[in-house]
Amino acid sequence: YIADRYIDIEIIESSAEGLKIPSSAIVYKDFYKIPVDYLITDEDTSESGFYKYTYDESGEMSAVFYKADIYANDGEYCYVDTSDFQLGDYVGKVNSNDRYRIAETAQLTGVYNINQGYSIFRIVDILYQNDEYCIVDENTPYGITQYDRIILNASQVDEDQIIY
């Protein structure tokens, strides 16, 4: 009974409540930052997107509505996938000559959600992290919720990969 005389304890200075996920599920992805002022909702389809300026063969510029998947919105910028636009593309406002040149990127932290059978990037807000797991906020917009299925080892999966 000499081994039972001592108990290992851990003193926790702070605590965090949220969803517990393994650290191996965390992935980082680059996104283009576009100001929220340029976000437009299409009146016909009620979809969100941007007016993208393009040039035709004669050199004339025209604005075309382009539906983009918005991965995050911090109130100042919308974060869109780098495959939706090219670096240097212009987006504009409705009934205005004001244009914004896409030039800035930012990296977001997330996980791959596989609820629909293929991997989709979802952002997470890490509240606490150690070597084995992370506690993430479950109320993050565009994020994950309880009972979502996520990839446990994100290094073995690409985005939009079909999961059997």
Side-chain angles (χ1 to χ4, degrees):
Y1 296 106
I2 193 91
D4 295 333
R5 292 180 64 193
Y6 298 101
I7 299 174
D8 292 329
I9 64 169
E10 180 181 352
I11 298 174
I12 300 173
E13 295 176 12
S14 63
S15 66
E17 291 186 20
L19 302 172
K20 183 177 178 180
I21 61 172
S23 294
S24 61
I26 299 295
V27 65
Y28 301 96
K29 185 174 176 185
D30 290 329
F31 292 92
Y32 289 133
K33 291 172 65 173
I34 301 175
V36 173
D37 299 340
Y38 293 89
L39 182 63
I40 297 163
T41 302
D42 188 24
E43 296 170 359
D44 298 332
T45 61
S46 298
E47 293 179 329
S48 295
F50 301 93
Y51 277 122
K52 182 179 177 180
Y53 284 92
T54 59
Y55 292 95
D56 59 12
E57 295 84 26
S58 63
E60 293 292 321
M61 184 176 6
S62 62
V64 177
F65 179 77
Y66 187 78
K67 181 189 173 302
D69 292 328
I70 299 169
Y71 285 83
N73 183 343
D74 64 6
E76 186 177 352
Y77 290 101
C78 293
Y79 296 84
V80 297
D81 197 359
T82 55
S83 64
D84 288 341
F85 294 96
Q86 297 294 323
L87 199 62
D89 283 350
Y90 286 92
V91 293
K93 295 181 181 180
V94 179
N95 301 325
S96 174
N97 289 332
D98 190 16
R99 287 186 222 125
Y100 176 78
R101 183 173 184 259
I102 299 173
E104 191 173 356
T105 61
Q107 192 175 63
L108 295 179
T109 306
V111 296
Y112 288 128
N113 179 325
I114 57 168
N115 288 347
Q116 298 174 348
Y118 59 94
S119 58
I120 302 170
F121 182 86
R122 296 284 183 232
I123 64 167
V124 293
D125 181 21
I126 298 174
L127 303 174
Y128 172 79
Q129 183 174 11
N130 66 18
D131 294 337
E132 297 175 16
Y133 66 89
C134 302
I135 304 294
V136 299
D137 187 7
E138 65 182 311
N139 297 320
T140 303
Y142 307 100
I144 59 173
T145 59
Q146 189 174 10
Y147 303 119
D148 276 352
R149 297 173 58 204
I150 62 169
I151 297 292
L152 298 180
N153 192 350
S155 64
Q156 296 179 348
V157 176
D158 294 322
E159 190 166 8
D160 295 328
Q161 180 178 343
I162 295 174
I163 307 297
Y164 298 102

